[in-house]
Amino acid sequence: MNVEHVFAAFLGARDLPGTVARKVFGWDGRHSEVVKEIIGDTQDGYQHTGLPDLRSLAAAAVPTVYAALNAAVPGPQDVTRWHIADRGPL
């Protein structure tokens, strides 16, 4: 556990020490935005880009993504998905 996580939890405590800490530091750990700001640098591999989260890509964007990754676009021979094929018999 990182010190930042403990600090964020301390600022979010609803008892007297938590209240005093909020007054001293001026941060309120009961708000998710404050917690994200405090522990943001401790998240392994996480990079906040400020871009919206995408759930899917438009079909026209797929070849561009594969080209940017320098990867071969899957064809009809790749119809079986790896995560199903690697499981073995169900």
Side-chain angles (χ1 to χ4, degrees):
M1 180 176 281
N2 295 323
V3 175
E4 291 88 352
H5 290 258
V6 175
F7 182 59
F10 184 61
L11 289 172
R14 298 189 186 274
D15 55 4
L16 181 61
T19 302
V20 171
R22 285 190 291 279
K23 293 209 182 288
V24 169
F25 293 104
W27 289 358
D28 191 341
R30 297 173 294 180
H31 298 286
S32 60
E33 294 81 16
V34 173
V35 174
K36 287 178 191 175
E37 186 66 30
I38 293 171
I39 67 171
D41 292 339
T42 66
Q43 305 300 305
D44 286 335
Y46 176 75
Q47 279 188 313
H48 180 66
T49 61
L51 299 173
D53 291 333
L54 298 175
R55 300 288 177 233
S56 61
L57 291 174
V62 173
T64 305
V65 171
Y66 277 94
L69 296 173
N70 197 23
V73 178
Q77 72 279 6
D78 301 314
V79 78
T80 305
R81 295 188 176 152
W82 66 269
H83 56 84
I84 293 173
D86 287 346
R87 285 187 196 166
L90 294 175

